[in-house]
Amino acid sequence: QVQLVESGGGLVQPGGSLRLSCAASGIIFSIYRMGWYRQAPGKQRESVALMSNSGTTDYADSVKGRFTISRDNAKNSVYLQMNSLKPEDTAVYYCYIYYSDYGPSRDYWGQGTQVTVSA
């Protein structure tokens, strides 16, 4: 079993900052990709920021220059620094990993943490 524990969400004013954290635990042999997805009300879940175990990053166009993903491989943890937040960033943010254990490599998402950007 794998667990993803997310933290750092909350309410922030436009222009403010938040930092999301996620720690993976359980039976994990290797994490190939970690990152964050989000889902706003009435919209599909979308990729926000992803990082491979080699450090390659991939950002959604809407967050480039404002969000920064980082990763601590020793702790199986991933972080998302969100600056210059906008109301349209309001969503539930889900931690994501693509990992391997005894079986085939697979995707896994956390339970989500709410981020609300509002005055």
Side-chain angles (χ1 to χ4, degrees), residues 41-118:
K43 295 188 177 181
Q44 289 188 331
R45 189 175 298 189
E46 62 174 352
S47 172
V48 176
L50 298 172
M51 179 179 275
S52 71
N53 55 4
S54 65
T56 302
T57 58
D58 182 29
Y59 292 96
D61 288 342
S62 59
V63 307
K64 285 179 180 177
R66 300 188 298 121
F67 291 10
T68 302
I69 188 172
S70 60
R71 180 172 168 174
D72 185 334
N73 291 330
K75 296 181 179 180
N76 282 346
S77 295
V78 64
Y79 311 95
L80 186 67
Q81 178 66 42
M82 304 185 293
N83 297 329
S84 302
L85 283 160
K86 304 176 181 180
E88 51 263 43
D89 294 317
T90 295
V92 177
Y93 284 70
Y94 298 90
C95 181
Y96 161 83
I97 62 172
Y98 179 66
Y99 76 105
S100 64
D101 53 14
Y102 294 109
S105 301
R106 69 192 75 179
D107 302 307
Y108 193 81
W109 281 267
Q111 293 297 309
T113 184
Q114 177 71 46
V115 171
T116 302
V117 185
S118 175

